[in-house]
Structures are given as C-alpha cells and as structure tokens.
Amino acid sequence: LPGPLIEAEEGDTIRITITNKNEIMATTVHWHGLHQRGTVWNDGTSQITQCSLSPFESQTYEFIAYPAGTHYWHSHQGMTATDGIAGPIVIHPKIPEPFYEELNLSVDDVEEQMLFLMDYFDDTSLQREAGLASESLNWIGNPASLLLNGKGLSKYCTNFTGQQPFSKYSCSDTLQWTPSILVEQGKTYRFRVVNGGGLVMQNLAINQHNMTIVEVDGTNVVPYTVQNLTIAPGQRYSVIVYADQGENDDDGEENFWMQSLVAGRPLSNMPEGNWVLNNITTTTRTTHESERTALSANESDVTRYHLTLTQGWSTTKSGPYGDRVSCAGGGTCQVVWTLNNISFVYPDSGNPLIYTAVEESQRLGWPLPGPLSVAGDSVPSDDDDTTPPGYYIQQQATSVIRLNEGDVAEFVIENSVGIGGTSEFHPWHFHGHSFWVVGRGIGPYNETQDVPNYNLVNPVLRDTTVGLKNSWVAIRFIANNPGVWYLHCHIESHLTMGMGFVVIVSPNKIGSLTDSVQYC
Ligand SMILES: [Cu+2]
C-alpha cells in the first residue's frame, strides 16, 4: 500500500491494462480527477460506464492526461478501494505553474514528495458491505489505523504489544511502522497530499512548519499558508513546505512530527481544522477559461437542482414513488441515504447505464421526449415532493439528471440530520468535470436570499468539496463533456448506502456502443 504512482505530462495519452487476478471478486479502476474528455468509456465506474472485470479478465483503459495536477486511481467496485486498490497519479503541466513565480521559486529548486493518506480497516470490504446491508445496520466502525504512504500503527498497539494484525511488524518496531519523510535542511518541498481513504477526513500538520497551498484538485490557487490542512476522502492538495527549521547539530539531523488526526467524525475532540476550502481563491488558468462561462452566465440561464439529503429505510425497488410507510420501531428495514427521497441503486437490466443512455438517445432522439421512464428515473425536484423529509420507506432507483452539452448547471446539496439524530459531513465528488463552489451556508437553503450572496468572482474550482454538517453547498459547472457521470459522496459506506446520482450529458454525442458494455 498504496499502489504504484502513475506519472505523465498533460496532454499525453495514458494507456493502462488492468488484469483482475483476484479469484473471487470483480473490479474496475477509476482515474479520480481526470476528466476523460471524450473517453467516458474509460471512467471505470462499475455498472455505470462499464461491466465489471470478472476474475482473470483484463481491460485496457486509454485516456488523455488532463487536467494537470495531483490525482489518484482507485477501484470503483463496491468498497474494494479500501481493501487497498488505490494509488497516486501526478499529471505534470506543460508550462510551470504560477506559484513558482509568486513564491520566487524555480522549478529545479522544488523537490516533490507524495503524501498518500488512507484509513485502514481490519474487516474486508465484503464484511463491511454485508454489515451495511444488514437489517439492523451494522456500521463499519472507526478505522483500525490511519496510513501515510501505507504505514501506520494499528489500534491494537494501544493495548497490546507483540505482533500487529495484518502486518509483519510488531507493535514495538516503532521505526518500521512510523512513516518518515526525509528532507534536507534549507530545501523547498512540494508535498502532494491525497486522501485516498474511505471514511474520515484527516487533519494534517507538521510541527514547527507551515504549509502553503498552491494546488487544489488540479486547480492552481493563489498561494495560501496554513498551519494545518483538513482533507476529505477524494480531495487532493499540493503544499509548499520550507525545510528551514532545526539545528544542524553534530549528527546533522533533527526530526519533526508530522501528525494526521481524524477530523469531522466523533472520534476525537479535534476542531474541524482549517477550512481552507471556504477561503482560498483561484487564479486564472488558460486551460480552464471555458469553464469560467459558468460564472458569468445569467441567472435565468442556470439550471438549478435543489437536492435534499435524508436518511431513511429502504423498500423494494418496485415500490412506487410516494408510497411511504413509517418503518420506525419495526427494525426490519435496511438503512439508506437518499437525495430528494431516492436512494441510488445500480441498474438491474444487465447493461451498464451508459449502454441504456446511448441506446435510448439513438432510438428516441435527443433531447428525449417525456415523460421519461427509461435509463434511470429522473431525480424529482423538491416541488414534486409534498412529504416532508423523514424516516420513511424510500424509493430505490437509478436516479439520473439529464443535461445538454453546454448547459450551465448547479446542484445545491442540502445536508440534514440522519436517523441517529446527528448531521455528518459528506465529500461530494463529480466525475468528468470540475465545478465551482459558488456558495455554502448553514441551515436550510433559501434560493431568494442565498443566490445574491454567491461568490461568482473567485470561487475555487475543484472536483470534490465537503458538504458540512447542517449546511448546504452549491456547485456550478458547464456540462462540457458528453457522457454518463457519477456524482456521489466519496465516503465509501455512504455511496454503498445510495448517496449519489448520475448526470447524463448529451448521450447522442458519446459515440457508438461497443460489446464490452453489454450484457454484464
Ligand atoms: Cu457521505
């Protein structure tokens, strides 16, 4: 752990063949952060853009290295990413990024290091998935360890000495399990930080050193200095660190703790870190100029969807929308997450969603004539739903939102209180696009009051942003990439419990269907 680094220059063609050598489990690989412009077939989402790879099957993924930045690859099959199918991707830009000049650095002076964060579970993905699907909800619990570049101490070592489970090291082999990053005094470093974990936000700090953020999910930002950095699953940052502390004593060595703590879940009393995601501003980067039209669009040209997150109990997929019976106290229903009262499930037709989306656009024309009942059920707007969000039996469906290429769309995702009475953070990740985080606020969303307060001048452009507890977040983008794109919470367990939907953009422009996406 983690898997190998994939490195390329922006604009290169990347070709990777994946062979599934696991004798039991299926897999796919998603290239997280890469836009797959024109290559949605290679996005690697199981049952959405492809059939899963069965044991001993192979698939070659080919796509353009875009955008530049810090990204990663991970399995998009069940919860197997946290079984360890994940590793970093670095796409180097063709021209030096603006921060070099802004910080008076030359490219050759800055050394790069990868900080790949993960959370580690003793239970396998199959055990954890079975727990989530059980009628009484057997939650996965806290991770056994946080890992930096694959190393970390098991929780067992707080109570036991001796051998760590699933590790070749004993608890007393401190130097073996403690990850260390070697730096030379006086040098400048770019740490590329990835949270490749599946559950917790991590708050990273380096004793006596500041970190200057220069890149966020592949977007260059005006350098912004922090003492600690909170990073959610699916997010990436580049930070500049000056190794300018410490004494050059006799042995020429001094060590500083680099510490990563759980943030945002009730594991510790950590403050919720430094919410840089609220404060940083973006620079202009020519490759993203076209995306800026999403900020200058007239309000009347913005297609806005207000999506309210709730937690509820599931019924069978055939249950009609609106048929809700309280399940409280019964204890016989599965717990699911819903957006506008629909919990996402994968299509059960035997074909991935991309097949059905392209086929129906060929057969029926595009835009589709309504009302629609194929290729996923549309996500109802709030107006369609007169039932207040609550603990009801929810519909499970392959929920989709259809957009035309060139549409400026906005998703306002409003967080809520779950069955347990608490509200949690959720890192929302969008495939195939980066989005502008144009607004966020506490409590219920009020379009009339909140839209005028949006930041349309210098919001951050990224592909994973956190919806905070009891809050809403508004993300806006231009639908410039025909395809079938998943938008989901990047907490693996929440995704498994239905927290997501699919955005279908002009499927008539995706291209012809291939055999590899039929009859999985
Ligand atoms: Cu979530």
Short mmCIF file of all heavy atoms in Angstrom, two decimals, residues 419-476:
data_model
loop_
_atom_site.label_atom_id
_atom_site.label_comp_id
_atom_site.label_asym_id
_atom_site.label_seq_id
_atom_site.Cartn_x
_atom_site.Cartn_y
_atom_site.Cartn_z
N ILE A 419 -30.85 9.44 10.87
CA ILE A 419 -31.71 8.71 11.79
C ILE A 419 -31.17 8.77 13.22
O ILE A 419 -31.92 8.85 14.18
CB ILE A 419 -31.86 7.24 11.32
CG1 ILE A 419 -32.74 7.21 10.06
CG2 ILE A 419 -32.47 6.36 12.41
CD1 ILE A 419 -32.79 5.86 9.39
N GLY A 420 -29.86 8.77 13.33
CA GLY A 420 -29.25 8.80 14.66
C GLY A 420 -29.33 10.16 15.34
O GLY A 420 -28.88 10.31 16.46
N GLY A 421 -29.86 11.17 14.63
CA GLY A 421 -30.03 12.48 15.24
C GLY A 421 -28.84 13.41 15.04
O GLY A 421 -28.84 14.53 15.54
N THR A 422 -27.82 12.96 14.31
CA THR A 422 -26.67 13.83 14.08
C THR A 422 -26.52 14.11 12.59
O THR A 422 -26.98 13.34 11.75
CB THR A 422 -25.37 13.18 14.57
OG1 THR A 422 -25.24 11.90 13.94
CG2 THR A 422 -25.36 13.03 16.07
N SER A 423 -25.88 15.21 12.29
CA SER A 423 -25.58 15.55 10.91
C SER A 423 -24.09 15.30 10.68
O SER A 423 -23.28 15.52 11.57
CB SER A 423 -25.92 17.03 10.65
OG SER A 423 -25.82 17.33 9.29
N GLU A 424 -23.75 14.81 9.49
CA GLU A 424 -22.36 14.46 9.21
C GLU A 424 -21.87 15.22 7.98
O GLU A 424 -22.66 15.65 7.16
CB GLU A 424 -22.24 12.95 8.90
CG GLU A 424 -22.73 12.04 10.01
CD GLU A 424 -22.76 10.59 9.56
OE1 GLU A 424 -22.16 10.26 8.52
OE2 GLU A 424 -23.40 9.78 10.25
N PHE A 425 -20.55 15.31 7.83
CA PHE A 425 -20.00 15.91 6.61
C PHE A 425 -20.04 14.89 5.47
O PHE A 425 -20.02 13.67 5.71
CB PHE A 425 -18.56 16.37 6.85
CG PHE A 425 -17.55 15.25 6.76
CD1 PHE A 425 -16.94 14.95 5.54
CD2 PHE A 425 -17.23 14.48 7.86
CE1 PHE A 425 -16.03 13.91 5.44
CE2 PHE A 425 -16.32 13.45 7.77
CZ PHE A 425 -15.72 13.16 6.56
N HIS A 426 -20.11 15.37 4.24
CA HIS A 426 -20.07 14.49 3.07
C HIS A 426 -19.22 15.12 1.97
O HIS A 426 -19.54 16.22 1.52
CB HIS A 426 -21.48 14.24 2.53
CG HIS A 426 -22.40 13.65 3.54
ND1 HIS A 426 -22.34 12.34 3.94
CD2 HIS A 426 -23.39 14.21 4.27
CE1 HIS A 426 -23.26 12.10 4.86
NE2 HIS A 426 -23.91 13.22 5.09
N PRO A 427 -18.16 14.45 1.53
CA PRO A 427 -17.37 14.97 0.41
C PRO A 427 -17.99 14.57 -0.93
O PRO A 427 -17.97 13.40 -1.30
CB PRO A 427 -16.00 14.31 0.61
CG PRO A 427 -16.26 13.07 1.41
CD PRO A 427 -17.56 13.26 2.14
N TRP A 428 -18.54 15.55 -1.65
CA TRP A 428 -19.21 15.28 -2.92
C TRP A 428 -18.20 15.31 -4.06
O TRP A 428 -17.50 16.30 -4.23
CB TRP A 428 -20.32 16.31 -3.16
CG TRP A 428 -21.41 16.19 -2.14
CD1 TRP A 428 -21.59 16.97 -1.04
CD2 TRP A 428 -22.45 15.19 -2.10
NE1 TRP A 428 -22.68 16.53 -0.32
CE2 TRP A 428 -23.22 15.44 -0.95
CE3 TRP A 428 -22.79 14.11 -2.93
CZ2 TRP A 428 -24.32 14.66 -0.59
CZ3 TRP A 428 -23.88 13.34 -2.58
CH2 TRP A 428 -24.64 13.62 -1.43
N HIS A 429 -18.16 14.24 -4.81
CA HIS A 429 -17.20 14.13 -5.93
C HIS A 429 -17.96 13.96 -7.23
O HIS A 429 -18.92 13.20 -7.30
CB HIS A 429 -16.27 12.92 -5.70
CG HIS A 429 -15.40 12.62 -6.89
ND1 HIS A 429 -14.53 13.55 -7.42
CD2 HIS A 429 -15.26 11.50 -7.65
CE1 HIS A 429 -13.90 13.01 -8.46
NE2 HIS A 429 -14.32 11.77 -8.62
N PHE A 430 -17.51 14.69 -8.27
CA PHE A 430 -18.16 14.64 -9.58
C PHE A 430 -17.17 14.08 -10.59
O PHE A 430 -16.02 14.52 -10.64
CB PHE A 430 -18.59 16.07 -9.97
CG PHE A 430 -19.53 16.15 -11.15
CD1 PHE A 430 -20.24 15.05 -11.61
CD2 PHE A 430 -19.71 17.36 -11.80
CE1 PHE A 430 -21.11 15.14 -12.69
CE2 PHE A 430 -20.57 17.47 -12.88
CZ PHE A 430 -21.27 16.36 -13.32
N HIS A 431 -17.62 13.14 -11.37
CA HIS A 431 -16.78 12.56 -12.42
C HIS A 431 -16.87 13.42 -13.68
O HIS A 431 -17.92 14.00 -13.97
CB HIS A 431 -17.25 11.14 -12.76
CG HIS A 431 -17.02 10.14 -11.67
ND1 HIS A 431 -16.50 8.89 -11.90
CD2 HIS A 431 -17.21 10.19 -10.33
CE1 HIS A 431 -16.41 8.21 -10.77
NE2 HIS A 431 -16.84 8.98 -9.79
N GLY A 432 -15.78 13.47 -14.45
CA GLY A 432 -15.82 14.08 -15.78
C GLY A 432 -15.78 15.59 -15.82
O GLY A 432 -15.72 16.17 -16.90
N HIS A 433 -15.83 16.25 -14.69
CA HIS A 433 -15.88 17.71 -14.65
C HIS A 433 -15.20 18.21 -13.37
O HIS A 433 -15.11 17.49 -12.39
CB HIS A 433 -17.32 18.24 -14.59
CG HIS A 433 -18.19 17.80 -15.73
ND1 HIS A 433 -18.72 16.53 -15.81
CD2 HIS A 433 -18.61 18.46 -16.82
CE1 HIS A 433 -19.43 16.43 -16.92
NE2 HIS A 433 -19.38 17.58 -17.56
N SER A 434 -14.77 19.47 -13.41
CA SER A 434 -14.52 20.21 -12.18
C SER A 434 -15.66 21.21 -12.02
O SER A 434 -16.29 21.59 -13.01
CB SER A 434 -13.18 20.95 -12.24
OG SER A 434 -12.11 20.03 -12.34
N PHE A 435 -15.95 21.61 -10.80
CA PHE A 435 -17.06 22.53 -10.57
C PHE A 435 -16.59 23.69 -9.70
O PHE A 435 -15.60 23.60 -8.98
CB PHE A 435 -18.24 21.81 -9.90
CG PHE A 435 -17.87 21.00 -8.67
CD1 PHE A 435 -17.54 21.62 -7.47
CD2 PHE A 435 -17.86 19.61 -8.72
CE1 PHE A 435 -17.20 20.88 -6.35
CE2 PHE A 435 -17.51 18.85 -7.60
CZ PHE A 435 -17.18 19.49 -6.42
N TRP A 436 -17.32 24.80 -9.82
CA TRP A 436 -17.06 25.96 -8.97
C TRP A 436 -17.89 25.83 -7.70
O TRP A 436 -19.09 25.56 -7.77
CB TRP A 436 -17.45 27.26 -9.68
CG TRP A 436 -16.80 27.46 -11.01
CD1 TRP A 436 -17.33 27.14 -12.22
CD2 TRP A 436 -15.51 28.03 -11.27
NE1 TRP A 436 -16.44 27.48 -13.22
CE2 TRP A 436 -15.32 28.02 -12.66
CE3 TRP A 436 -14.50 28.54 -10.45
CZ2 TRP A 436 -14.16 28.51 -13.26
CZ3 TRP A 436 -13.35 29.03 -11.05
CH2 TRP A 436 -13.19 29.01 -12.44
N VAL A 437 -17.26 26.05 -6.56
CA VAL A 437 -18.02 26.03 -5.30
C VAL A 437 -18.51 27.46 -5.07
O VAL A 437 -17.81 28.29 -4.51
CB VAL A 437 -17.14 25.54 -4.13
CG1 VAL A 437 -17.96 25.42 -2.85
CG2 VAL A 437 -16.50 24.20 -4.47
N VAL A 438 -19.73 27.76 -5.56
CA VAL A 438 -20.18 29.16 -5.61
C VAL A 438 -20.86 29.61 -4.33
O VAL A 438 -21.03 30.81 -4.12
CB VAL A 438 -21.12 29.41 -6.82
CG1 VAL A 438 -20.35 29.28 -8.12
CG2 VAL A 438 -22.32 28.47 -6.80
N GLY A 439 -21.26 28.68 -3.48
CA GLY A 439 -21.89 29.13 -2.24
C GLY A 439 -21.99 28.01 -1.23
O GLY A 439 -21.96 26.83 -1.58
N ARG A 440 -22.05 28.41 0.01
CA ARG A 440 -22.37 27.45 1.07
C ARG A 440 -22.95 28.23 2.24
O ARG A 440 -22.72 29.43 2.39
CB ARG A 440 -21.16 26.61 1.49
CG ARG A 440 -19.93 27.37 1.93
CD ARG A 440 -18.88 26.42 2.51
NE ARG A 440 -18.09 25.71 1.52
CZ ARG A 440 -18.05 24.38 1.40
NH1 ARG A 440 -18.78 23.63 2.19
NH2 ARG A 440 -17.29 23.80 0.50
N GLY A 441 -23.74 27.55 3.04
CA GLY A 441 -24.35 28.24 4.17
C GLY A 441 -24.90 27.24 5.16
O GLY A 441 -25.04 26.05 4.87
N ILE A 442 -25.22 27.76 6.33
CA ILE A 442 -25.72 26.91 7.41
C ILE A 442 -27.25 26.88 7.36
O ILE A 442 -27.88 27.88 7.02
CB ILE A 442 -25.21 27.45 8.77
CG1 ILE A 442 -23.69 27.28 8.82
CG2 ILE A 442 -25.87 26.74 9.95
CD1 ILE A 442 -23.03 27.99 9.98
N GLY A 443 -27.81 25.74 7.68
CA GLY A 443 -29.27 25.62 7.76
C GLY A 443 -29.88 25.36 6.40
O GLY A 443 -29.19 24.98 5.46
N PRO A 444 -31.21 25.56 6.27
CA PRO A 444 -31.87 25.29 5.00
C PRO A 444 -31.49 26.31 3.93
O PRO A 444 -31.19 27.46 4.25
CB PRO A 444 -33.37 25.40 5.33
CG PRO A 444 -33.48 25.68 6.78
CD PRO A 444 -32.13 26.01 7.32
N TYR A 445 -31.50 25.85 2.69
CA TYR A 445 -31.19 26.72 1.55
C TYR A 445 -32.41 27.56 1.21
O TYR A 445 -33.53 27.06 1.20
CB TYR A 445 -30.80 25.84 0.36
CG TYR A 445 -30.51 26.57 -0.92
CD1 TYR A 445 -29.36 27.35 -1.06
CD2 TYR A 445 -31.38 26.47 -2.01
CE1 TYR A 445 -29.09 28.00 -2.24
CE2 TYR A 445 -31.11 27.12 -3.20
CZ TYR A 445 -29.96 27.89 -3.31
OH TYR A 445 -29.68 28.53 -4.49
N ASN A 446 -32.16 28.84 0.94
CA ASN A 446 -33.24 29.74 0.53
C ASN A 446 -32.77 30.45 -0.74
O ASN A 446 -31.94 31.36 -0.68
CB ASN A 446 -33.53 30.75 1.65
CG ASN A 446 -34.65 31.70 1.28
OD1 ASN A 446 -34.75 32.16 0.15
ND2 ASN A 446 -35.49 32.00 2.26
N GLU A 447 -33.30 30.02 -1.88
CA GLU A 447 -32.80 30.49 -3.17
C GLU A 447 -32.82 32.02 -3.26
O GLU A 447 -31.84 32.65 -3.67
CB GLU A 447 -33.63 29.87 -4.30
CG GLU A 447 -33.09 30.18 -5.68
CD GLU A 447 -33.83 29.42 -6.78
OE1 GLU A 447 -34.99 29.03 -6.56
OE2 GLU A 447 -33.23 29.21 -7.84
N THR A 448 -33.93 32.63 -2.86
CA THR A 448 -34.08 34.08 -2.99
C THR A 448 -33.02 34.82 -2.18
O THR A 448 -32.43 35.79 -2.63
CB THR A 448 -35.48 34.51 -2.50
OG1 THR A 448 -36.42 33.57 -3.00
CG2 THR A 448 -35.82 35.90 -2.95
N GLN A 449 -32.76 34.32 -0.98
CA GLN A 449 -31.80 35.01 -0.12
C GLN A 449 -30.36 34.62 -0.41
O GLN A 449 -29.44 35.42 -0.28
CB GLN A 449 -32.10 34.68 1.35
CG GLN A 449 -33.31 35.40 1.89
CD GLN A 449 -33.67 34.90 3.29
OE1 GLN A 449 -32.85 34.29 3.98
NE2 GLN A 449 -34.90 35.16 3.70
N ASP A 450 -30.15 33.36 -0.80
CA ASP A 450 -28.78 32.85 -0.87
C ASP A 450 -28.08 33.12 -2.20
O ASP A 450 -26.87 33.35 -2.23
CB ASP A 450 -28.75 31.35 -0.55
CG ASP A 450 -29.07 31.09 0.92
OD1 ASP A 450 -28.68 31.92 1.76
OD2 ASP A 450 -29.72 30.06 1.22
N VAL A 451 -28.83 33.11 -3.31
CA VAL A 451 -28.18 33.30 -4.61
C VAL A 451 -27.45 34.65 -4.70
O VAL A 451 -26.32 34.71 -5.19
CB VAL A 451 -29.19 33.12 -5.77
CG1 VAL A 451 -28.57 33.53 -7.10
CG2 VAL A 451 -29.65 31.66 -5.83
N PRO A 452 -28.05 35.75 -4.21
CA PRO A 452 -27.33 37.03 -4.30
C PRO A 452 -26.01 37.05 -3.51
O PRO A 452 -25.16 37.90 -3.77
CB PRO A 452 -28.32 38.05 -3.70
CG PRO A 452 -29.65 37.40 -3.85
CD PRO A 452 -29.42 35.93 -3.70
N ASN A 453 -25.85 36.13 -2.59
CA ASN A 453 -24.62 36.10 -1.79
C ASN A 453 -23.57 35.14 -2.34
O ASN A 453 -22.54 34.92 -1.71
CB ASN A 453 -24.94 35.70 -0.34
CG ASN A 453 -25.75 36.78 0.36
OD1 ASN A 453 -25.52 37.97 0.13
ND2 ASN A 453 -26.70 36.37 1.18
N TYR A 454 -23.85 34.54 -3.49
CA TYR A 454 -22.87 33.63 -4.08
C TYR A 454 -21.56 34.35 -4.37
O TYR A 454 -21.55 35.54 -4.67
CB TYR A 454 -23.40 33.08 -5.41
CG TYR A 454 -24.35 31.91 -5.30
CD1 TYR A 454 -24.74 31.38 -4.08
CD2 TYR A 454 -24.85 31.32 -6.47
CE1 TYR A 454 -25.62 30.31 -4.02
CE2 TYR A 454 -25.72 30.25 -6.41
CZ TYR A 454 -26.10 29.75 -5.18
OH TYR A 454 -26.96 28.69 -5.14
N ASN A 455 -20.48 33.60 -4.34
CA ASN A 455 -19.20 34.12 -4.81
C ASN A 455 -19.01 33.68 -6.26
O ASN A 455 -18.67 32.52 -6.53
CB ASN A 455 -18.06 33.58 -3.94
CG ASN A 455 -16.69 34.02 -4.46
OD1 ASN A 455 -16.59 34.82 -5.40
ND2 ASN A 455 -15.64 33.50 -3.86
N LEU A 456 -19.25 34.61 -7.20
CA LEU A 456 -19.06 34.31 -8.62
C LEU A 456 -17.80 34.98 -9.15
O LEU A 456 -17.56 35.00 -10.35
CB LEU A 456 -20.29 34.77 -9.42
CG LEU A 456 -21.62 34.10 -9.01
CD1 LEU A 456 -22.79 34.71 -9.76
CD2 LEU A 456 -21.57 32.59 -9.24
N VAL A 457 -17.00 35.55 -8.24
CA VAL A 457 -15.80 36.28 -8.65
C VAL A 457 -14.56 35.39 -8.57
O VAL A 457 -13.83 35.22 -9.54
CB VAL A 457 -15.61 37.54 -7.77
CG1 VAL A 457 -14.34 38.28 -8.18
CG2 VAL A 457 -16.83 38.44 -7.88
N ASN A 458 -14.32 34.81 -7.42
CA ASN A 458 -13.13 33.97 -7.27
C ASN A 458 -13.40 32.73 -6.41
O ASN A 458 -12.70 32.49 -5.43
CB ASN A 458 -11.97 34.79 -6.69
CG ASN A 458 -12.34 35.43 -5.35
OD1 ASN A 458 -13.46 35.26 -4.87
ND2 ASN A 458 -11.41 36.12 -4.76
N PRO A 459 -14.40 31.95 -6.77
CA PRO A 459 -14.61 30.70 -6.03
C PRO A 459 -13.54 29.69 -6.41
O PRO A 459 -12.78 29.91 -7.35
CB PRO A 459 -15.98 30.24 -6.51
CG PRO A 459 -16.07 30.76 -7.90
CD PRO A 459 -15.32 32.07 -7.91
N VAL A 460 -13.47 28.62 -5.66
CA VAL A 460 -12.50 27.58 -6.00
C VAL A 460 -13.12 26.63 -7.02
O VAL A 460 -14.34 26.40 -7.02
CB VAL A 460 -12.02 26.83 -4.74
CG1 VAL A 460 -13.11 25.98 -4.13
CG2 VAL A 460 -10.79 25.99 -5.05
N LEU A 461 -12.28 26.14 -7.93
CA LEU A 461 -12.70 25.15 -8.93
C LEU A 461 -12.06 23.83 -8.53
O LEU A 461 -10.84 23.74 -8.43
CB LEU A 461 -12.21 25.57 -10.31
CG LEU A 461 -12.51 24.63 -11.48
CD1 LEU A 461 -13.96 24.78 -11.94
CD2 LEU A 461 -11.57 24.90 -12.66
N ARG A 462 -12.88 22.83 -8.26
CA ARG A 462 -12.32 21.55 -7.85
C ARG A 462 -13.29 20.43 -8.20
O ARG A 462 -14.33 20.70 -8.81
CB ARG A 462 -11.98 21.57 -6.35
CG ARG A 462 -13.17 21.75 -5.41
CD ARG A 462 -12.73 21.90 -3.95
NE ARG A 462 -11.69 20.92 -3.62
CZ ARG A 462 -11.00 20.92 -2.49
NH1 ARG A 462 -11.23 21.83 -1.57
NH2 ARG A 462 -10.08 20.00 -2.26
N ASP A 463 -12.97 19.19 -7.85
CA ASP A 463 -13.89 18.11 -8.20
C ASP A 463 -14.43 17.37 -6.98
O ASP A 463 -15.23 16.45 -7.12
CB ASP A 463 -13.25 17.14 -9.20
CG ASP A 463 -11.97 16.50 -8.69
OD1 ASP A 463 -11.95 16.03 -7.54
OD2 ASP A 463 -10.97 16.48 -9.45
N THR A 464 -13.98 17.75 -5.78
CA THR A 464 -14.51 17.14 -4.56
C THR A 464 -14.63 18.23 -3.50
O THR A 464 -13.62 18.85 -3.14
CB THR A 464 -13.57 16.03 -4.04
OG1 THR A 464 -13.24 15.15 -5.12
CG2 THR A 464 -14.23 15.24 -2.92
N THR A 465 -15.84 18.49 -3.02
CA THR A 465 -15.99 19.50 -1.97
C THR A 465 -16.85 18.94 -0.85
O THR A 465 -17.66 18.04 -1.06
CB THR A 465 -16.61 20.80 -2.52
OG1 THR A 465 -16.46 21.83 -1.52
CG2 THR A 465 -18.09 20.65 -2.83
N VAL A 466 -16.65 19.49 0.33
CA VAL A 466 -17.32 18.94 1.51
C VAL A 466 -18.62 19.69 1.78
O VAL A 466 -18.63 20.91 1.87
CB VAL A 466 -16.38 19.03 2.73
CG1 VAL A 466 -17.11 18.56 3.99
CG2 VAL A 466 -15.15 18.18 2.51
N GLY A 467 -19.70 18.93 1.90
CA GLY A 467 -20.93 19.47 2.46
C GLY A 467 -20.82 19.34 3.96
O GLY A 467 -20.69 18.24 4.49
N LEU A 468 -20.82 20.48 4.64
CA LEU A 468 -20.61 20.45 6.09
C LEU A 468 -21.89 20.07 6.83
O LEU A 468 -22.98 20.09 6.26
CB LEU A 468 -20.10 21.82 6.56
CG LEU A 468 -18.77 22.25 5.93
CD1 LEU A 468 -18.45 23.70 6.27
CD2 LEU A 468 -17.64 21.34 6.41
N LYS A 469 -21.74 19.77 8.11
CA LYS A 469 -22.89 19.40 8.93
C LYS A 469 -23.95 20.49 8.92
O LYS A 469 -23.62 21.67 9.01
CB LYS A 469 -22.44 19.18 10.38
CG LYS A 469 -21.44 18.07 10.56
CD LYS A 469 -20.93 18.03 12.00
CE LYS A 469 -19.85 16.98 12.14
NZ LYS A 469 -19.35 16.88 13.52
N ASN A 470 -25.21 20.11 8.83
CA ASN A 470 -26.34 21.04 8.91
C ASN A 470 -26.18 22.22 7.95
O ASN A 470 -26.54 23.34 8.27
CB ASN A 470 -26.50 21.58 10.34
CG ASN A 470 -26.79 20.46 11.32
OD1 ASN A 470 -27.74 19.70 11.15
ND2 ASN A 470 -25.96 20.33 12.34
N SER A 471 -25.61 21.98 6.77
CA SER A 471 -25.30 23.06 5.84
C SER A 471 -25.69 22.68 4.43
O SER A 471 -25.95 21.52 4.14
CB SER A 471 -23.80 23.37 5.86
OG SER A 471 -23.39 23.82 7.12
N TRP A 472 -25.69 23.67 3.54
CA TRP A 472 -25.84 23.40 2.11
C TRP A 472 -24.59 23.87 1.39
O TRP A 472 -23.86 24.73 1.87
CB TRP A 472 -27.09 24.08 1.54
CG TRP A 472 -27.13 25.57 1.77
CD1 TRP A 472 -27.71 26.22 2.82
CD2 TRP A 472 -26.54 26.58 0.93
NE1 TRP A 472 -27.52 27.58 2.70
CE2 TRP A 472 -26.81 27.83 1.55
CE3 TRP A 472 -25.83 26.56 -0.26
CZ2 TRP A 472 -26.38 29.04 1.01
CZ3 TRP A 472 -25.40 27.77 -0.80
CH2 TRP A 472 -25.68 29.00 -0.17
N VAL A 473 -24.35 23.28 0.22
CA VAL A 473 -23.24 23.71 -0.63
C VAL A 473 -23.76 23.77 -2.06
O VAL A 473 -24.55 22.91 -2.47
CB VAL A 473 -22.01 22.79 -0.49
CG1 VAL A 473 -22.32 21.35 -0.89
CG2 VAL A 473 -20.83 23.32 -1.29
N ALA A 474 -23.38 24.82 -2.80
CA ALA A 474 -23.82 24.99 -4.19
C ALA A 474 -22.62 24.84 -5.11
O ALA A 474 -21.62 25.55 -4.95
CB ALA A 474 -24.47 26.36 -4.38
N ILE A 475 -22.71 23.91 -6.06
CA ILE A 475 -21.62 23.71 -7.02
C ILE A 475 -22.16 23.96 -8.42
O ILE A 475 -23.27 23.58 -8.75
CB ILE A 475 -21.01 22.30 -6.90
CG1 ILE A 475 -22.05 21.21 -7.16
CG2 ILE A 475 -20.38 22.11 -5.52
CD1 ILE A 475 -21.47 19.80 -7.18
N ARG A 476 -21.38 24.68 -9.23
CA ARG A 476 -21.84 25.06 -10.57
C ARG A 476 -20.78 24.67 -11.60
O ARG A 476 -19.59 24.77 -11.35
CB ARG A 476 -22.08 26.57 -10.62
CG ARG A 476 -22.77 27.00 -11.90
CD ARG A 476 -22.90 28.49 -11.99
NE ARG A 476 -23.89 29.02 -11.04
CZ ARG A 476 -24.32 30.28 -11.10
NH1 ARG A 476 -23.85 31.11 -12.02
NH2 ARG A 476 -25.22 30.70 -10.23
#
